[in-house]
């Protein structure tokens, strides 16, 4: 059933795809960042604080090594990962590149420019509507109730595809690092408790991709990984890597003075 749905997605995509797909440069502080690899840092809004601190370190060190962060601007895991990227920016203005995909402008008071209505990135309304349709089609493969959702909920679910596959669904993230209560790392392991992050996990573990200029392509990069920090073996592997990165880049700067940390700490009753 899943494979049939994916094939149907590819066939329909071949009929409607008129978008001139390209890799979008990220522009901030007057600096243009092109061609850098990205990782997706996502997860539950209820991510434990101890895991959140690991996420900050992961994001900081990955960004210092030259990777960019893709995330969703929500509370919990998304914010932890963003704090790490922002810390890298404080150390080196050329680091900490972010693509934060929002379901709408100003989601959670976020100032990211990566929302579909932004013509500077996603083109005219006709072009963004085509991309939006592709995103909803992809999301609908893994969520049977998508069409019954209101528009805001559909957009919230659909933007997961961009976190995994990039702004135009043609530039896969090299890794998906997350935390969900059940530790799922593929579509078969996904449950209700996995939450919205399960959409990204399903897409990342799927072998079919989107369509470029009328041709079907595979998104499943052999090097792409789903790392779920709820799995003890994954957490151990990450902590070992962080120890080595600490030797290379030094300690992570103090993040507890940052505004994002102050906002998120309120949810954990921290002073």
């Amino acid at each position: 059933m899943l494979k049939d749905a994916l094939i149907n997605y590819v066939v329909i995509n071949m009929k409607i795809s008129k978008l001139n797909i390209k890799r979008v440069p990220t522009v901030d502080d007057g600096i243009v960042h092109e061609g850098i690899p990205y990782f997706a840092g996502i997860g539950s809004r209820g991510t434990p604080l101890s895991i959140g601190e690991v996420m900050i370190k992961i994001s900081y060190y990955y960004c210092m090594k030259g990777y960019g962060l893709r995330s969703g601007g929500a509370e919990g895991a998304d914010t932890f990962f963003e704090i790490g990227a922002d810390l890298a920016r404080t150390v080196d203005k050329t680091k900490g590149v972010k693509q934060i995909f929002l379901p709408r402008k100003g989601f959670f008071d976020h100032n990211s420019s990566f929302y579909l209505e932004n013509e500077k990135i996603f083109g005219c309304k006709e072009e963004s509507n085509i991309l939006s349709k592709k995103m909803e089609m992809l999301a609908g493969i893994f969520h049977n109730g998508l069409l019954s959702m209101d528009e805001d909920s559909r957009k919230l679910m659909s933007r997961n595809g961009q976190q995994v596959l990039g702004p135009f669904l043609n530039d896969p993230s090299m890794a998906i690092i997350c935390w969900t209560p059940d530790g799922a790392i593929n579509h078969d392991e996904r449950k209700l408790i996995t939450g919205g992050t399960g959409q990204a996990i399903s897409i990342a573990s799927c072998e079919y991709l989107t369509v470029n200029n009328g041709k079907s392509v595979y998104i499943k990069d052999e090097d792409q990984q789903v790392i779920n920090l709820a799995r003890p073996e994954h957490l151990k592997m990450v902590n070992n890597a962080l120890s080595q990165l600490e030797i290379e880049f030094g300690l992570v700067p103090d993040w507890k003075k940052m505004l994002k940390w102050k906002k998120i700490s309120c949810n954990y009753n921290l002073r």
Side-chain angles (χ1 to χ4, degrees), residues 124-143:
C124 66
K125 187 173 182 180
E126 180 182 2
E127 290 178 318
S128 64
N129 282 343
I130 291 172
L131 178 59
S132 177
K133 185 173 180 66
K134 294 169 73 173
M135 289 164 58
E136 286 197 7
M137 289 168 59
L138 183 60
I141 293 171
F142 303 105
H143 197 299

Side-chain angles (χ1 to χ4, degrees), residues 143 157 180-182 184 187-199:
H143 197 299
M157 197 63 67
T180 64
D182 58 344
H187 180 69
D188 292 336
E189 293 180 359
R190 183 181 174 188
K191 307 177 184 68
L192 184 61
I193 195 176
T194 313
T197 305
Q199 280 288 110

Side-chain angles (χ1 to χ4, degrees), residues 210-222:
T210 183
V211 168
N212 272 348
N213 302 323
K215 297 181 180 179
S216 58
V217 236
Y218 288 94
I219 63 164
K220 182 58 179 174
D221 188 323
E222 290 183 357

Side-chain angles (χ1 to χ4, degrees), residues 191-259:
K191 307 177 184 68
L192 184 61
I193 195 176
T194 313
T197 305
Q199 280 288 110
I201 292 171
S202 291
I203 294 169
S205 63
C206 160
E207 292 184 352
Y208 286 89
L209 197 83
T210 183
V211 168
N212 272 348
N213 302 323
K215 297 181 180 179
S216 58
V217 236
Y218 288 94
I219 63 164
K220 182 58 179 174
D221 188 323
E222 290 183 357
D223 295 326
Q224 190 181 50
Q225 303 178 66
V226 177
I227 299 170
N228 195 320
L229 299 173
R231 299 174 83 102
E233 68 275 20
H234 284 193
L235 184 59
K236 181 179 179 180
M237 173 187 68
V238 165
N239 279 325
N240 287 340
L242 291 177
S243 296
Q244 295 301 311
L245 289 166
E246 183 178 310
I247 295 172
E248 183 177 354
F249 293 102
L251 294 173
V252 178
D254 182 12
W255 60 77
K256 295 187 178 179
K257 294 180 181 179
M258 299 185 69
L259 182 59

Side-chain angles (χ1 to χ4, degrees), residues 19-20 24 27-28 41 46 49 83 87 100 118-119 133 139 151 156 160 180 192 214 218-219 229 232 245 263:
L19 197 60
N20 181 23
V24 179
V27 182
D28 50 17
L49 183 61
I83 289 172
L87 283 170
I100 308 300
N118 187 351
E119 294 186 0
K133 185 173 180 66
E151 184 179 3
L156 191 65
N160 286 296
T180 64
L192 184 61
Y218 288 94
I219 63 164
L229 299 173
L245 289 166
K263 287 182 177 180

Side-chain angles (χ1 to χ4, degrees), residues 53-108:
E53 294 184 347
V54 175
M55 290 174 169
I56 291 172
K57 294 177 181 179
I58 292 169
S59 190
Y60 172 76
Y61 286 127
Y62 265 51
C63 287
M64 289 302 293
K65 285 187 73 68
Y67 294 100
L69 168 68
R70 286 176 175 153
S71 196
E75 295 176 328
D78 289 4
T79 302
F80 287 126
F81 279 112
E82 249 198 282
I83 289 172
D86 290 347
L87 283 170
R89 174 58 57 88
T90 66
V91 174
D92 184 338
K93 292 294 184 183
T94 67
K95 308 297 185 183
V97 180
K98 300 183 295 186
Q99 291 181 342
I100 308 300
F101 300 104
L102 307 181
R104 63 181 182 278
K105 183 179 181 180
F107 175 69
F108 271 111

